[in-house]
Every structure is written in C-alpha cells, then in structure tokens.
Amino acid sequence: RAQARELRQEQVRHEEERRAEQAARERRRREVGDDFVVDDSWVADSSATSGIAFRRSKDLDDRDAQVAAWGARVTGFDHGDGWLSVGGRFLPMRICGALVLRKAPDGCEAPPEL
C-alpha cells in the first residue's frame, strides 16, 4: 500500500508540474505572442532573397530595412488578418499565396530568434 501511495503521489506531482508548465506557456503567449518560423518551403525561388522584409504597416509595399531570415524564429501576435506583429513592425503570413510564417511547435529545439 505504501508503494502504491508513493506512486500515486508521484503521478500527482508530475501532473501538477505539467499543468504549471502549460500555464507558464499560456502566460508567455499572452504577454509576448506566439513563436513562428520563417518558412521558405513553399516559395518558388527563395534563393533570390535572404528572407522576408519587415513592414512598417500592414502594406506589402511599406518595407523596412530589416529582414527576418529564412529559418529564423520570430515571436509575435497573429492578428488573424494575414499579418504578424513583431514589436512595432509587421510580417506578412503569406507572400504570393505561399505560407511563409508557420507556427513553431511547442517544446522543440528552435532556430535562433531575431
């Protein structure tokens, strides 16, 4: 019985840790946004560019000098309108119909952040 009780206590402890980690991830998401990977897998000729130019507004022509490199991880808020806000700038989720920002999976080893 003592062994069964210890096993149950261990299971409860693991469940509490899992819930705490999940709550911490959710707090971080609300505070800083979600992680996205700059993905060139659907871009016809990604070798022609080093990544996606940030925009000063939600206008494809309003380019900033800084670029989110292919394969980089960015953290921002998906506005649900095809744009991700990163700090005070924006990145398009799609270019010419191709998805160029995809949500990064939780708990994986990530490429360097911008």
Side-chain angles (χ1 to χ4, degrees):
R1 287 182 189 227
Q3 190 175 22
R5 185 172 47 248
E6 287 176 18
L7 179 60
R8 178 66 183 139
Q9 288 173 341
E10 183 69 20
Q11 290 172 334
V12 168
R13 195 168 31 258
H14 283 298
E15 180 63 20
E16 288 171 351
E17 289 172 0
R18 187 191 65 76
R19 287 182 183 163
E21 289 171 4
Q22 187 176 14
R25 278 195 304 273
E26 182 60 25
R27 275 192 307 279
R28 181 182 179 278
R29 188 193 66 73
R30 284 194 309 266
E31 292 170 2
V32 298
D34 290 311
D35 291 334
F36 291 81
V37 176
V38 184
D39 184 8
D40 66 342
S41 60
W42 294 102
V43 178
D45 186 15
S46 63
S47 64
T49 64
S50 58
I52 306 168
F54 282 92
R55 274 39 179 211
R56 291 181 286 268
S57 67
K58 292 181 180 182
D59 178 348
L60 284 174
D61 296 325
D62 193 13
R63 293 174 186 246
D64 189 292
Q66 189 173 2
V67 171
W70 298 123
R73 177 177 267 204
V74 294
T75 301
F77 292 97
D78 180 356
H79 289 260
D81 60 358
W83 291 92
L84 183 76
S85 63
V86 181
R89 296 170 300 164
F90 300 90
L91 287 171
M93 301 290 283
R94 293 180 178 274
I95 295 180
C96 296
L99 184 66
V100 292
L101 290 176
R102 64 177 167 78
K103 194 158 190 281
D106 287 335
C108 70
E109 193 61 34
E113 291 189 20
L114 287 178

